[in-house]
Each structure stands twice: as structure tokens, then as C-alpha cells.
Amino acid sequence: MTGGAPADIVILGGGLTGLACALLTLQQLPPDSAGLRITICDAAAAPLPPSGAIGARVIALSPSSIALLGAVDAWPGQEIGRVGWCRRVVAWAGCADGPDALCFDAAEFGRRDLMAIAETDLLRAALWARCTVEPRIRLLPGVSATAVALRSDCVDLTLDDGTALSPSLVIGAEGHDSWLRTALGVPCEAREYGQAAIVAHVSGELPHVHTAWQRFMDGGPLALLPLADGRSSIVWSAATATADRLMAASDAEFSLELTAASGGVRGRLTLTTRRQAFALAAQHATQYTGLRYALIGDAAHRIHPLAGQGANLGLADAAALAESLAEHLAHPLADPGDPRALRRYERWRKAANLTTLAAMDAMHEAFTSRLPGMAAAAGDALRYVDRLGPVKRLLAGHAMGLDGDLPRAARPAGIPPERVRSAGRAR
């Protein structure tokens, strides 16, 4: 076993959430904390900037997430042409141009765009590149942890290359199968939906006009997200048996069924990439923090993708933990693993995450319920929301990440100061 370079904080997981947390923490530290060091371990190889066609893995980013990435200078620069912009969202259960459709337009809320559709690989590469030029961050790609022990004064952490580290704090950001959460025995409430989501990119006869289309059907929702190259990225959630059948269908057969399911909003749809499917589930760790550890992103919570909020919640976690740590470390002799500072982050984010998780569960149940009249009532609700201005603005603000307690780094331009929370404020 070998000793590694000193690290005050070790982050397990080099995805968007872990990388952003490291950069945001260092960015917000007071000047006299300049010596704090962070090590990031990730089982995957170091990312390369994507090239060629837009990759299959894309996420919908809220204005607050875009602001957060911009705050650490990790928003795509010369690759910005790979980012799609969504200026309108249309959700419906019956007919897209019928009375039950719910439409959100950016102009209604004084914004140019509601969200951005960007490749996960593009964003990870941008964040990784920023970390490589930060002298206080050490990146360890292709490395995983194999043993952990929490002690009163440090964490004993062993990596699979034999390296031993003794940080003051370890952060789990490895996704919903978090090794750290499992190794520490943190209980996790989980629910299987009995569904799978099929993702792919498609072209359409009609332009996407910067619109995200989402249809709620008995078997699950179908979303079409606008890509920068004129195609749409689909996320089609369906019962597992139905998803298996759709995955086994030929490209031509799948495209026909997809066109019918979309209600023809983009005319005839044609697959342009291979299909991928993944099981859908919800889960929530009963606690996010403890002595010398914290969980962020999918390591702490996992939600149904019907509103595309998973990545945004994870980035909000990263910003909240970073701000909580930075404010705590402004005090003399402050310890990064102090459970009081970590609990502040947990109180900040747990309520917001549970609210979103409950909302996604309620929407899923309403539109897939077998109770007579339930799906129809849910469809009617879309029509009423579209006509109720205050409720519609509330939902739009939540979807764009513009409500609740915003970390400073996630504050988009135009948000009043009173909407920005100070981590030091009592809660």
C-alpha cells in the first residue's frame, strides 16, 4: 500500500456533480484557505471533448444550472454550437393543439430560453478541463475506492491502485449505485417503476422550432427535446414489456410507432442513432451526511426522468455543499468534515429534493393510473394549469430552477438578491 499526495477532501465520482462541487468549493474559499486540496477519483477514463455528431446522452439544463457552469468557466465556449436551446415546452395528454395542452413559452417569463439541451460528455469534458488547470485539484481517472473507515479526526480511504488517503471529508458523487453510500451502510428508500426509458436521436419532417414536446400516455410519457443540429432527442418511458418489444422492433417499425405516439408534432420521425434503454426507479438516501461524509446528486436521490430534473438537482446539491463548506471554512481552524457544516447542506437540499421526488411520483401515478377517470382528470389538470397564471408561473419557476433557496453560484442574471440564500443563515 502506498501513501498518496495529501488531500483535505476526496470526491468519489468525476461526473458533472463531483467536478462542479470541487471547482465551486475552491472558487468560494476565503483567501486564507488557499492551501485546501481536493482529490477526485473516478472509475472512468479521462474524458475527451466530443467530436462528430451530437452524442446520444444529453440532458436538459435549467437557467440556474447554466449559471452555475458559467460561474466556474465550464460552459461550452467554442463548442457552443453543439448546444440546443428550448424556447417553448408543450405538454399534452390528448392532442398537442387541443384544449388540454399546457404550453410554456420563454417570452411569457421574460426569458430568451427555458432550458438548454447539452451532451453530458461535452459538459463533463469542459469541467474536467477546468479541473486540470486548478493546482489544488488532483484528478485520478480509472481509479475506484475499495475500503473506507470514518474516524474522529479523518477518513481512512483505500483506492484500488493501493493508494491510501486520509482526508478530512469524503464526498460520494458516483451516481445511484454509489459505492460510498453502500460501504457506509446509509439506508436508501427505493421504488421500481416497472418501466424502462428508451433514448435515441431522431429526425423529423417538420422543424422542432426550439420546442420540447411531451406527451403523457397511459404507459408513460414521451419527450422530444430540441437538438442543435435540428434533430430531437427522445426519452420514451414505457412499461418494461412494452419497452422490450420496442427495442426488439426494426428501425422502421420503431419509427412508425414513435411517429404515432408523438401525435405527428414533427411529422414522420426517423431514427438516426441506435436505441438505448434503462430501467426506471426512484430512490432517496435517508441521510445525506454524517461524520466526515456527504452524498450529492444521484448518490443521494434518483427521480423519474419525466421532467428532466435529475442533473439539475445534482448540480444544485454541488453548489449548496460547496457554499456551505466555503462559509464554514472561513472560520479559523474549521474542519471540512465537521458534521455541523454538512448538516447545513443536508437541511438545505433534502426538502427541495423530496418535494421534486414527490411531484414526479404524483405525475407518474396520475397519468399511468388504472383507476377509472384518473388519467382523464390528469389531462384536464394540464388545461387548468395553462389558464391559471400564478400556478403556471410557479411550475415554470420550479422547472427552471428559479425558485426556492438558490446557491449564489446558481443565480442567473435577473434574479433578485432576496432569492439568494446564505448558507450561514439559520434554517
Side-chain angles (χ1 to χ4, degrees), residues 115 123 157 200 218 299 372 383 402 404:
M115 57 185 168
L123 300 175
L157 192 66
D218 290 345
R383 178 173 69 250
L402 304 181

Side-chain angles (χ1 to χ4, degrees), residues 167-180:
S168 298
L169 171 65
V170 60
I171 299 172
E174 327 99 294
H176 64 85
D177 286 328
S178 169
W179 175 88
L180 182 65

Side-chain angles (χ1 to χ4, degrees), residues 82-94:
R82 300 180 71 95
V83 176
W85 296 97
C86 177
R87 295 168 186 163
R88 194 167 66 115
V89 174
V90 178
W92 78 99

Side-chain angles (χ1 to χ4, degrees), residues 53-122:
I54 293 173
R57 296 176 59 214
V58 300
I59 54 176
L61 288 174
S62 68
S64 61
S65 292
I66 295 170
L68 183 156
L69 293 170
V72 294
D73 198 24
W75 185 238
Q78 60 183 357
E79 302 285 353
I80 194 65
R82 300 180 71 95
V83 176
W85 296 97
C86 177
R87 295 168 186 163
R88 194 167 66 115
V89 174
V90 178
W92 78 99
C95 181
D97 57 2
D100 69 338
L102 171 61
C103 180
F104 294 97
D105 194 300
E108 293 182 71
F109 310 103
R111 303 195 63 86
R112 179 180 177 272
D113 307 288
L114 295 173
M115 57 185 168
I117 312 300
E119 298 159 273
T120 304
D121 290 345
L122 175 66

Side-chain angles (χ1 to χ4, degrees), residues 313-390:
L313 293 180
L315 289 171
D317 287 352
L321 178 57
E323 187 172 321
S324 297
L325 285 172
E327 293 198 6
H328 171 69
L329 293 172
H331 301 290
L333 303 178
D335 180 353
D338 189 330
R340 291 171 297 179
L342 302 177
R343 281 197 298 269
R344 187 178 299 136
Y345 148 72
E346 180 169 354
R347 290 194 301 270
W348 187 350
R349 290 300 304 158
K350 184 179 268 189
N353 291 331
L354 280 172
T355 298
T356 302
L357 182 64
M360 297 304 100
D361 263 356
M363 290 178 66
H364 167 75
E365 288 295 328
F367 284 102
T368 61
S369 174
R370 295 186 179 275
L371 293 176
M374 179 61 76
D380 288 341
L382 294 178
R383 178 173 69 250
Y384 295 135
V385 168
D386 196 56
R387 297 175 180 178
L388 294 173

